[in-house]
Structures are given as structure tokens and as C-alpha cells.
Amino acid sequence: MSSGFFLTEKQVKCENCGGLIQIPLTTDSTVITCEFCRSVYEYNPEVHLVPKLRFEDEEKQTFEYALATGVLIGREGSSNFITIQSDLNPSLKQNICIRNPYVSRCPHLRIKMQDEISISSCGESKRVINKKKCTVEDCKSTNGTAVNDHMLKLGEPWMLKHGDRIVLAPNSQLPLAIGFEETVQNP
Ligand SMILES: [Zn+2]
């Protein structure tokens, strides 16, 4: 599955011809045809692509964190290896606290989310799907953040895609990798 072009919530760019397709305001499953090249896309407004973070703890156990809103990730010395706050606790500066001396405190990185509609290929069929555009940004951390092999520059938001690995403090003795995944949620 690969994600394609996006523009706004109401329009999407045709993958074949680049023409703008209007997304109908519907609650029912429908078929959308590009008026320029007659490409056909499926659209079910109930189907969403849900972004998730995947962590691995000291015992190599993995757990997931479904991203519903943006998130702040940083160090909290007294917590467990990884602690997830359900709400942003005002006494803590981050939603996800990590006990790792190379991760910055205030916080290390931020993930922002924005609604978008994009085209996804699923086997033979193509569909227009509701998803979240997720961008990761390093928050002036001491040891930096990389996405895959790309070291983020200061103030450079980086768009995340399925299968990416966000690495905190990549050049330290204890780099921490977080997987980014998008899964289809079909209620
Ligand atoms: Zn087209």
C-alpha cells in the first residue's frame, strides 16, 4: 500500500492525470470518477488510515501507541523505560516519557497531525482515503532526531510515511528507534 497525493480535505489530485477531483460530502460508500481521465477510485468515508507508533522496551517487548492528536516525546528520569500519559499532565512536559540519558527533556521531539485525504493503492484497486498527515520535528534536542537515515535539521518538519523509523539520539550510545505505521481502520 502506498500513499499518493493530497491537497485539502475536499479535493484530491488524480494519481493518473494530476487533475483535481472533488470529494463528495457523503456518508455512504461510493465510486469517484476523475472527470479528466476517467480513472475510478473507491471512497468510503468511514474508512480511515490510523497512524501508530511502535516502541520496543528493554526486554524487546513491543507496544503500540495510536496517534489521535499530536504528541510530545521526551526524557523523564524517574519514569519507566517508556511511560505513556493518557492526557498531557501539566507537571510533565511530554505525553510519552522515556528514561534514556541521551533523550532530551523539554521535549525531544514533536509529532503534529492534520486531516487529509489521499489516494492509496490496495492491490488492483485504488481508493481515496481519510488519513492524518503526520510530521515529526526535532525540538532543539541535544542529540538530535533522524528519520531513517535522514538527520532532521532544526525547524524542519518531516512528513512521516508508513514504515518509517524515527530515531532519537541516533549517534549516541543508546539510540532509540520508534516505528511509524499506518493501518486501515474499517469500522
Ligand atoms: Zn485523472
Side-chain angles (χ1 to χ4, degrees):
M1 191 168 64
S2 69
S3 53
F5 299 102
F6 66 91
L7 276 175
T8 67
E9 282 184 63
K10 303 282 181 277
Q11 303 177 311
V12 71
K13 208 176 200 176
C14 176
E15 232 185 22
N16 293 323
C17 75
L20 287 185
I21 304 170
Q22 298 292 326
I23 307 301
L25 292 170
T26 174
T27 52
D28 299 317
S29 198
T30 185
V31 167
I32 299 171
T33 306
C34 172
E35 60 177 302
F36 309 103
C37 73
R38 312 312 293 170
S39 292
V40 171
Y41 301 96
E42 294 166 24
Y43 179 56
N44 181 344
E46 298 287 301
V47 176
H48 290 258
L49 213 50
V50 177
K52 282 179 188 165
L53 298 178
R54 185 182 286 275
F55 295 86
E56 200 173 80
D57 71 8
E58 291 152 300
E59 274 82 47
K60 303 278 174 201
Q61 287 195 308
T62 59
F63 54 101
E64 290 180 345
Y65 178 83
L67 287 163
T69 57
V71 72
L72 298 169
I73 301 178
R75 170 156 56 103
E76 185 59 48
S78 59
S79 62
N80 291 326
F81 181 67
I82 292 167
T83 307
I84 292 171
Q85 318 287 332
S86 51
D87 296 304
L88 188 54
N89 181 335
S91 71
L92 299 166
K93 291 196 175 78
Q94 39 257 341
N95 311 82
I96 298 178
C97 302
I98 293 168
R99 196 188 67 222
N100 177 322
Y102 302 99
V103 170
S104 289
R105 209 167 237 147
C106 42
H108 189 105
L109 66 82
R110 164 186 290 121
I111 295 175
K112 287 184 183 170
M113 295 170 67
Q114 203 183 319
D115 288 329
E116 74 169 15
I117 291 183
S118 101
I119 290 174
S120 282
S121 326
C122 229
E124 293 286 291
S125 69
K126 297 208 168 189
R127 62 183 167 192
V128 171
I129 195 162
N130 299 298
K131 60 174 285 188
K132 301 280 182 186
K133 182 169 96 175
C134 297
T135 51
V136 60
E137 212 172 313
D138 184 86
C139 299
K140 298 184 187 170
S141 71
T142 307
N143 293 303
T145 303
V147 178
N148 305 323
D149 292 328
H150 176 84
M151 195 75 185
L152 297 183
K153 295 172 190 73
L154 249 187
E156 176 195 33
W158 189 264
M159 206 201 296
L160 292 168
K161 57 184 195 313
H162 180 75
D164 277 348
R165 278 165 70 82
I166 304 163
V167 187
L168 286 71
N171 299 317
S172 74
Q173 292 172 37
L174 212 55
L176 181 95
I178 304 170
F180 178 82
E181 294 170 9
E182 289 174 321
T183 50
V184 175
Q185 192 175 73
N186 197 349

